[in-house]
Amino acid sequence: MGSFRFLTAGESHGRMLGVTLEGVPAGLALSADRIAVDLARRQRGYGRGARQAIEQDRAEIVSGVRHGKTLGSPILLLIANRDWENWTRVMQVEPLDDDAAAELAALADDGNKRAAPVTRVRPGHADLAGALKYGFNDVRNVLERASARETAARVAAGAVARAFLGELGIDAWSFTAEVGGVAVDPEACTRSRDEADASPLRCPDPAAEERMIARIDEARSNGDTVGGVFEVVAHGLPIGIGSYVHWDRRLDGALAAAVMSINIVKGVEFGLGFEQTRRFGSAVHDVIEGRAEAGRWVHRSNNAGGLTGGMSNGEPLVVRGAVKPISTLARPLPSADLITGEAVEKAHYERSDISVVPAAGVVGEAMVLVTLLDALLVKFGGDSLDETRDNLERYRARIAAPVAPPRIGGAPAATATHGGVTGTDIAGSGGDD
Ligand SMILES: Cc1cc2nc3c(=O)[nH]c(=O)nc-3n(C[C@H](O)[C@H](O)[C@H](O)COP(=O)(O)O)c2cc1C
């Protein structure tokens, strides 16, 4: 949308990841410890690979913060890749001189997989299209950046957004809703948010989680991988964020793009999502019950997932991301060689996770949070947190106040506000498209 943005940099086995955040107002208390909480949450989860034992992600705040508070200037965060120590030559920034090139070639000849150029492209990865597009003959040049290691930087950005939105009473959380076809039962979600967060799959339903773990074990023992679904829920969003007036101001569109941009997400749903298509309208649309305490508008259900007409409607935001099974299999799929163009029995194998639904959920939270921060700043602006908060509070008060009755040319207009269905409501319903 344009008031807040961030850009990440860094390769999976390079020296570090970086993220520059632009547009965060001044006066927000921010610390590396706070960001570390979300970074650690991204690293957990049953089914992850050996890399997570090496990394202990922590973002160093390099700019944009002074004496613990944001300055309104760009914030630069750096996250070291501990694994880089094992890749210094392979990922060297400077050109390889003859000695270094000979050293690498000798390592590759000795069977060191890190040192050898990657040419057997991996199905389900950016390898083939990326190499052809950028003109590479070593797929490492693609996979290093296409790797989801980059999502650590996104999560750091999301943690900053969380800190800001928290000051405005807005928060988002995610949980694992499905793994390998095993779904949570809403009635059996007995765990609190903290309990779920601490569980192996960040799952609120303990019985479903056990069966999900069994599916991951089954995949592992078959040299296979497994996907699932995460759900992000955001609370505290005022009614009317986003807009119906242009396609690119719709909050649902911005959120869908943000969540879909996560490497591995293959579908996004809000509320009932695709299930809506299987029901009659009467079993889908959320009846508006009216204004309740403190002027809050209440819906009888939240099948829309908190979004109607491209705007927040005052109900909790519910976004789900479909996570495909991890593409790199311990028992690699057949593929082809980039150089010869011929089929090969096995694609390249790079150390890999088996299932990442809980981690993808944390990345999903981050993408939702940064999108909400941007949308909030588009509407309320503010160079400082106080200014944004004041603007938001004024708006909240206006939304909670009674709406003045309409007048046509100064005279009160007749309105159908008594629950009655008028003739025009039905006879004139030719549709609005
Ligand atoms: C947190 C996280 C960890 C991931 N770990 C792996 C992994 O270990 N191995 C792998 O093949 N893909 C992994 N992926 C997914 C790939 O990065 C992704 O599938 C690939 O870049 C292709 O992009 P696409 O799935 O959007 O088409 C991970 C994704 C996320 C979000």
Side-chain angles (χ1 to χ4, degrees):
M1 289 185 178
S3 279
F4 162 81
R5 60 191 177 140
F6 73 96
L7 278 179
T8 70
E11 281 70 44
S12 180
H13 301 100
R15 186 192 289 260
M16 58 183 70
L17 300 168
V19 53
T20 306
L21 297 89
E22 203 237 352
V24 178
L28 171 70
L30 196 63
S31 71
D33 285 347
R34 192 161 184 174
I35 298 170
V37 173
D38 278 332
L39 288 174
R41 290 173 69 235
R42 192 197 74 96
Q43 288 200 267
R44 285 200 291 267
Y46 192 84
R48 299 220 64 187
R51 176 84 187 259
Q52 302 317 310
I54 299 171
E55 305 295 347
Q56 277 172 7
D57 290 337
R58 190 170 170 87
E60 187 189 347
I61 303 175
V62 177
S63 74
V65 178
R66 179 165 181 255
H67 299 165
K69 293 216 170 162
T70 57
L71 297 169
S73 49
I75 298 171
L76 174 61
L77 307 176
L78 298 177
I79 303 168
N81 285 328
R82 289 189 169 199
D83 204 14
W84 179 69
E85 285 178 11
N86 304 312
W87 293 79
T88 47
R89 188 64 89 199
V90 179
M91 293 304 294
Q92 177 176 312
V93 169
E94 299 77 21
L96 286 178
D97 60 24
D98 289 347
D99 289 347
E103 182 196 324
L104 259 189
L107 282 172
D109 286 346
D110 272 0
N112 182 322
K113 283 176 78 179
R114 279 185 198 142
V118 179
T119 60
R120 285 173 296 136
V121 288
R122 300 165 307 162
H125 274 288
D127 299 7
L128 177 60
L132 294 176
K133 174 181 165 67
Y134 287 97
F136 295 137
N137 57 10
D138 180 357
V139 172
R140 178 148 313 282
N141 288 342
V142 176
L143 67 85
E144 282 290 331
R145 178 62 185 166
S147 155
R149 173 79 189 133
E150 182 262 353
T151 60
R154 300 199 205 189
V155 168
V160 177
R162 185 194 300 285
F164 192 88
L165 293 172
E167 296 290 337
L168 307 178
I170 300 163
D171 192 22
W173 179 66
S174 72
F175 61 88
T176 296
E178 203 171 316
V179 170
V182 178
V184 293
D185 170 1
E187 305 292 315
C189 287
T190 51
R191 285 180 175 149
S192 68
R193 175 172 159 166
D194 284 349
E195 286 166 348
D197 234 26
S199 79
L201 287 176
R202 297 191 43 256
C203 180
D205 174 348
E209 186 180 56
E210 268 185 40
R211 286 182 286 125
M212 292 175 186
I213 288 174
R215 293 290 279 160
I216 295 171
D217 289 342
E218 185 186 337
R220 190 197 311 270
S221 58
N222 292 332
D224 216 326
T225 59
V226 66
V229 178
F230 63 78
E231 182 166 316
V232 181
V233 184
H235 290 273
L237 207 57
I239 201 165
I241 304 303
S243 179
Y244 56 89
V245 302
H246 279 299
W247 69 269
D248 59 349
R249 293 202 194 191
R250 291 184 64 110
L251 184 59
D252 49 5
L255 285 165
V259 174
M260 196 74 181
S261 78
I262 302 168
N263 358 13
I264 213 164
V265 169
K266 294 296 144 193
V268 180
E269 285 186 328
F270 298 104
L272 261 190
F274 277 32
E275 172 59 23
Q276 295 178 66
T277 65
R278 297 169 204 122
R279 299 188 182 184
F280 288 114
S282 54
V284 168
H285 301 298
D286 304 311
V287 170
I288 301 168
E289 301 212 300
R291 201 191 287 274
E293 84 293 343
R296 196 174 72 84
W297 286 90
V298 178
H299 296 81
R300 191 173 295 168
S301 51
N302 187 22
N303 292 336
L307 291 162
T308 33
M311 297 166 290
S312 55
N313 67 11
E315 299 296 333
L317 183 69
V318 181
V319 190
R320 266 188 305 280
V323 175
K324 75 179 186 184
I326 291 278
S327 311
T328 307
L329 308 187
R331 225 175 256 172
L333 289 169
S335 188
D337 189 276
L338 178 68
I339 310 300
T340 65
E342 287 176 5
V344 292
E345 216 174 291
K346 286 181 181 177
H348 172 75
Y349 177 75
E350 187 108 359
R351 181 188 50 202
S352 189
D353 298 316
I354 293 165
S355 182
V356 291
V357 184
V362 176
V363 184
E365 276 173 39
M367 295 312 293
V368 166
L369 286 162
V370 294
T371 307
L372 294 182
L373 174 59
D374 182 35
L376 264 283
L377 289 175
V378 164
K379 179 148 176 61
F380 301 111
D383 292 313
S384 68
L385 169 60
D386 284 347
E387 193 181 352
T388 310
R389 191 171 19 221
D390 286 351
N391 295 344
L392 169 61
E393 286 317 320
R394 244 193 321 278
Y395 174 74
R396 276 192 169 127
R398 188 164 72 69
I399 292 289
V403 178
R407 292 179 169 269
I408 299 174
T415 54
T417 55
H418 312 293
V421 177
T422 68
T424 358
D425 285 338
I426 293 170
S429 61
D432 61 1
D433 179 12

